[in-house]
Amino acid sequence: MTIASMLLPSHRRLRQQKLSRSERLVLVFMAFWCAGIFAFAMYSSGNEMRKVDTSVYQLMSSEDGAASSMDTLVADASISSAVTKKAQGKSCKLAVSVKDTHPECETKLQYLRKNWKVDTCYASYGVKGDDCTILIYLSEVEHWCPRLRDRQSVHRASPRIVEAAIVRRNLTHLFEKILTDDKFNYEWIKSRIASMWPRWVQAYDDLMKTWHSVAREKKKVILHLGLLTRQSKLNWTQKLATGAPLGELVQWSDLIASLYLLGHDLQVSSQTETLHKILAGDKSRASQCPARSLYADMIYLDIIGLNQMKKLTKTGFLKYACLLRVLDSFGTEPAFNSKNYAMSHKLKTQWGKHNLNPRQFFTMFPHTADNTFLGFVVNTVDPSSVSTEPRAPVSLVYAKEEYMWEDKTAYVDVVREFTEVHATVHIDKKLTKNRIPPYVKNHGLLSSEDLQSLLQTTKLFIGLGFPYEGPAPLEAIANGCVFINPRFNEPKSRLNTKFFADKPTFRTLVSQSPYAETYVGKPHVFTVDVGDTDELRSVLKEALRTNVSAYLPHEFTMGGMLQRLALYTEKHDFCNGAPGIWPPREALRVRVSQKGESCNSACTQLGLLCEPSFFPLLNTVEALASHDINCSGGTYAEDIYHPSFERVGKECVLQKNGLLYSCAGEVSRHRVCPCRDFVKGQTALCKACI
């Protein structure tokens, strides 16, 4: 039976309806016209299926078509099934250039080849185990791979409803509705935020007068303070009473205050039970695939919280991984972050091997270019209000716990020759041995206000060498003190110092506060070998003669932190497999290292900073040639030193594993280093970034 015969009514029915001859002719014409349209549609559909079938083998980067992998996604099962049937038994090969445009694509492809059956969600998106359907999934759902050429996306993203972030000026909602899952855990955090809140609001208003940022989107943010959970066994409530270093709590407090003030939607937990309840709202939490509705834009946690989240989400953790921002005081270098690399090179650490983008680790100071500098706020009065009158020869020793004074008597004795010596040490009455010299005037633990008053009458702030990289030196400098910064004759690292033995970094500390030494310096900071008494005496005399004003780098002010967080929340995207557009590409400056020189060092030599997000832009023979690095050929290797080259023979080695792009690491080759400029006092941001 033909299409026309199915559509045409019989002569008997036409006669029964008593239609005129002209009416019958019109009806016949319409029937044939409909049949033609139907046949053409069938033919076009077949051609479209053949076009999609052919496109499976051709890969390209399509930035216009890339949507966030966490957008609402809708799968057209019928088209997916048709494409899958066409793709069976055929091989989709990745172009070499994919390593540069989408560095994680090959790794994700290899994973799903072996593991696509571990979660039924992959099959629901049309994955059948062959490379074609896996690449369709990885390009249209998770966006780790480039879109297949000419392919009409099966997984079409629904328009996302964007709500503007509105600044919050009142703390009631934060204290009564958000920081509520534990009665004691937030006491110190609330106290710090409340005491600083009027200055936070004023800092925001002042920032908006000078920095005209674009409209910001309100983000859904989860924050989990793993260090406060019972499972961490860190007993922070007890530590607060003994003067233990509070750097981590300072950072958490300032992060919460910033995100809340900037108008984002926060959910905060300090117990694993609370985190479990928060994640229970995500009905797809056990699935490895992205949620079909956006549950969170980002998740802040620490390393302890990261491990707790892995246990809670199990196999579903992978879909949350790109949303994470991990507070990590001392940083995690790429060599320790890549599980396979760390294991194959026998790099032992309980804090690494997370296989995240290294930029997802947020540090206390800007010491690890491969990570992101989050920072904190120095709680002080406006430095311009601090008196510049000469001060009496008074020293305050930077050591709140009694054990920090061990073997430091000879050093402090020299300080006593020139100044009164004061301290703020918690004394445990149970201890029979007192390491503090009897001439030291100990004030005990002080409130923030009382400590600032003491600092404003102090001339020298004396470092003893520990704690490493704490916030106190900047607070002292902001109150008009001169910081005496102990230099280490043998730099401290995981190779020779127990404190760093398990830290996931090879970074070395040449002084107690490298940031103060490098970014502040004289006349506010004097770095000295405290074991050399002649040098120490000379430095103390010079420091006492120096009249300084209070000083605080902008990046450690409230306005500096608000500016960074506003840009981070708006610009950072770790869920898109292609290199992002922030920092802007025009900020790229290429530098070739000397043999045995890291990219950190090579960029610093030019007054620049290494920018790891630009590495993929240099990881092709063509890209290198555009910067006058001509290769006779290019091979790929997995190591932290690439891309690199040899001048003799012009042999170039490109990076095979995107997780291993690293600003750190020295090798006997010339490294190709991506550098950028930075705003003075705001090292995290390039000049074009703002």
Side-chain angles (χ1 to χ4, degrees):
M1 181 181 294
T2 66
I3 295 174
S5 63
M6 289 189 292
L7 295 176
L8 282 171
S10 66
H11 291 289
R12 182 179 299 175
R13 288 175 59 195
L14 291 176
R15 283 193 295 268
Q16 288 175 350
Q17 294 174 15
K18 298 182 179 179
L19 298 176
S20 67
R21 186 172 183 275
S22 61
E23 288 175 327
R24 288 198 299 272
L25 288 173
V26 169
L27 184 59
V28 170
F29 172 80
M30 290 180 64
F32 276 104
W33 181 78
C34 291
I37 293 297
F38 181 79
F40 178 79
M42 293 292 289
Y43 173 80
S44 299
S45 177
N47 276 350
E48 188 62 26
M49 284 293 102
R50 286 189 290 274
K51 183 187 297 184
V52 171
D53 179 31
T54 303
S55 71
V56 170
Y57 300 94
Q58 300 171 342
L59 297 177
M60 65 174 289
S61 174
S62 175
E63 292 182 2
D64 293 338
S68 169
S69 64
M70 298 303 292
D71 280 349
T72 304
L73 301 171
V74 180
D76 183 335
S78 62
I79 298 179
S80 178
S81 175
V83 172
T84 299
K85 289 177 181 178
K86 293 279 186 180
Q88 291 295 337
K90 297 182 180 179
S91 173
C92 295
K93 294 182 179 180
L94 291 174
V96 174
S97 61
V98 171
K99 297 175 185 292
D100 315 302
T101 59
H102 294 71
E104 295 304 305
C105 180
E106 186 173 7
T107 301
K108 300 294 182 180
L109 175 61
Q110 291 173 356
Y111 173 82
L112 281 184
R113 281 171 179 162
K114 299 177 181 178
N115 300 288
W116 71 276
K117 290 185 178 181
V118 300
D119 196 314
T120 57
C121 72
Y122 294 120
S124 74
Y125 277 107
V127 175
K128 300 296 182 181
D130 60 283
D131 282 6
C132 297
T133 57
I134 292 175
L135 287 171
I136 290 171
Y137 171 82
L138 289 176
S139 63
E140 297 180 14
V141 179
E142 295 197 13
H143 303 291
W144 295 109
C145 297
R147 181 72 58 82
L148 305 182
R149 188 185 300 275
D150 298 328
R151 176 171 160 73
Q152 300 298 314
S153 176
V154 170
H155 309 286
R156 292 179 288 272
S158 299
R160 181 178 176 184
I161 300 175
V162 176
E163 184 178 354
I166 307 298
V167 63
R168 289 193 179 97
R169 300 176 181 272
N170 190 296
L171 284 174
T172 302
H173 182 70
L174 177 65
F175 286 179
E176 295 183 1
K177 300 295 183 182
I178 299 176
L179 302 180
T180 58
D181 75 326
D182 189 283
K183 182 178 180 180
F184 301 105
N185 275 353
Y186 300 114
E187 284 186 354
W188 191 90
I189 291 175
K190 287 182 177 180
S191 175
R192 176 177 170 87
I193 293 175
S195 67
M196 298 168 64
W197 190 247
R199 285 177 285 151
W200 274 111
V201 175
Q202 185 61 51
Y204 175 84
D205 291 338
D206 292 343
L207 178 65
M208 291 301 106
K209 293 175 184 177
T210 58
W211 181 55
H212 303 288
S213 64
V214 296
R216 296 178 295 102
E217 179 183 344
K218 183 178 182 180
K219 304 288 187 178
K220 300 176 183 178
V221 186
I222 297 172
L223 302 99
H224 177 58
L225 289 70
L227 79 169
L228 294 182
T229 60
R230 288 183 292 273
Q231 291 82 356
S232 74
K233 299 181 181 179
L234 292 178
N235 301 316
W236 273 95
T237 303
Q238 180 181 348
K239 287 186 175 184
L240 290 172
T242 62
L246 301 177
E248 290 87 350
L249 284 186
V250 166
Q251 192 174 43
W252 273 113
S253 300
D254 298 343
L255 173 64
I256 292 170
S258 298
L259 292 173
Y260 179 79
L261 176 60
L262 289 170
H264 298 297
D265 183 8
L266 309 185
Q267 295 185 81
V268 184
S269 68
S270 66
Q271 298 296 350
T272 54
E273 296 86 353
T274 310
L275 178 63
H276 181 75
K277 291 179 182 178
I278 291 174
L279 295 178
D282 182 3
K283 302 305 181 183
S284 65
R285 65 187 181 280
S287 169
Q288 291 192 13
C289 301
R292 293 179 188 268
S293 61
L294 189 62
Y295 186 69
D297 292 291
M298 58 196 69
I299 302 172
Y300 284 91
L301 31 65
D302 48 32
I303 298 291
I304 295 172
L306 173 59
N307 290 327
Q308 291 171 344
M309 186 170 179
K310 285 184 176 181
K311 291 181 180 179
L312 285 177
T313 55
K314 299 178 181 178
T315 58
F317 173 78
L318 291 177
K319 73 165 189 171
Y320 293 106
C322 67
L323 303 179
L324 302 182
R325 281 87 170 127
V326 184
L327 273 63
D328 181 15
S329 297
F330 294 94
T332 297
E333 292 182 354
F336 294 88
N337 172 59
S338 170
K339 184 175 181 179
N340 288 340
Y341 188 89
M343 293 179 67
S344 64
H345 288 73
K346 299 181 180 180
L347 302 179
K348 296 181 179 180
T349 175
Q350 63 174 321
W351 305 113
K353 306 175 186 176
H354 294 295
N355 285 341
L356 300 177
N357 183 324
R359 294 170 66 214
Q360 290 178 255
F361 295 97
F362 282 45
T363 61
M364 184 79 74
F365 286 92
H367 48 55
T368 305
D370 294 305
N371 302 152
T372 297
F373 167 51
L374 175 60
F376 58 93
V377 169
V378 173
N379 182 17
T380 184
V381 298
D382 183 352
S384 64
S385 68
V386 177
S387 173
T388 58
E389 292 296 318
R391 298 186 181 187
V394 174
S395 293
L396 177 62
V397 177
Y398 174 27
K400 290 184 178 181
E401 293 193 78
E402 195 265 347
Y403 75 89
M404 298 176 184
W405 292 70
E406 186 172 6
D407 299 327
K408 298 298 187 295
T409 301
Y411 169 28
V412 180
D413 283 346
V414 176
V415 176
R416 187 201 181 195
E417 295 176 14
F418 300 92
T419 70
E420 289 182 10
V421 182
H422 293 242
T424 55
V425 184
H426 169 76
I427 301 296
D428 188 343
K429 296 180 180 179
K430 297 179 182 178
L431 296 176
T432 57
K433 183 179 180 181
N434 189 345
R435 299 182 178 89
I436 302 176
Y439 54 77
V440 174
K441 183 177 180 180
N442 184 23
H443 299 261
L445 294 181
L446 298 178
S447 67
S448 177
E449 293 77 12
D450 290 340
L451 177 60
Q452 288 188 45
S453 295
L454 178 59
L455 287 171
Q456 290 176 23
T457 61
T458 297
K459 180 64 177 180
L460 304 180
F461 191 63
I462 306 296
L464 293 186
F466 187 85
Y468 306 119
E469 296 186 306
L474 289 180
E475 186 174 356
I477 295 167
N479 281 284
C481 299
V482 175
F483 175 49
I484 303 302
N485 182 33
R487 181 194 305 124
F488 303 136
N489 288 329
E490 184 180 5
K492 306 286 186 182
S493 74
R494 73 190 325 264
L495 301 178
N496 60 13
T497 305
K498 183 178 179 180
F499 180 86
F500 292 107
D502 201 39
K503 299 289 190 293
T505 176
F506 282 117
R507 189 166 61 90
T508 58
L509 270 67
V510 296
S511 67
Q512 182 174 358
S513 179
Y515 178 87
E517 178 182 6
T518 303
Y519 292 101
V520 182
K522 290 183 178 182
H524 304 281
V525 179
F526 287 78
T527 301
V528 58
D529 177 4
V530 299
D532 184 336
T533 56
D534 291 337
E535 181 186 358
L536 177 60
R537 287 187 175 92
S538 176
V539 165
L540 290 173
K541 290 177 183 178
E542 183 182 357
L544 288 168
R545 289 194 302 267
T546 303
N547 191 29
V548 299
S549 301
Y551 172 71
L552 181 61
H554 178 65
E555 55 199 351
F556 289 100
T557 66
M558 295 172 184
M561 188 161 188
L562 286 169
Q563 186 181 45
R564 281 197 307 281
L565 261 295
L567 286 168
Y568 288 170
T569 53
E570 196 69 26
K571 301 292 188 179
H572 274 169
D573 180 7
F574 302 117
C575 294
N576 191 331
I581 57 172
W582 197 84
R585 296 182 182 185
E586 60 264 30
L588 173 63
R589 304 288 184 272
V590 179
R591 164 78 168 162
V592 176
S593 78
Q594 299 296 320
K595 289 187 176 182
E597 184 182 32
S598 71
C599 282
N600 282 324
S601 176
C603 294
T604 301
Q605 295 290 330
L606 295 179
L608 304 171
L609 296 177
C610 181
E611 178 50 62
S613 65
F614 290 148
F615 269 117
L617 304 180
L618 303 177
N619 201 46
T620 66
V621 171
E622 294 76 15
L624 295 179
S626 69
H627 295 285
D628 297 323
I629 302 171
N630 297 307
C631 308
S632 59
T635 59
Y636 284 87
E638 292 192 44
D639 215 324
I640 61 173
Y641 313 113
H642 308 308
S644 65
F645 75 100
E646 284 281 8
R647 295 190 188 278
V648 178
K650 298 184 178 180
E651 176 197 6
C652 293
V653 180
L654 305 175
Q655 182 60 258
K656 185 177 181 181
N657 184 346
L659 290 181
L660 294 178
Y661 286 125
S662 177
C663 293
E666 302 87 16
V667 68
S668 58
R669 297 174 60 84
H670 296 283
R671 297 194 58 186
V672 182
C673 303
C675 310
R676 64 165 172 84
D677 60 20
F678 59 92
V679 178
K680 185 178 180 180
Q682 187 72 296
T683 53
L685 306 179
C686 64
K687 294 176 182 178
C689 293
I690 56 177

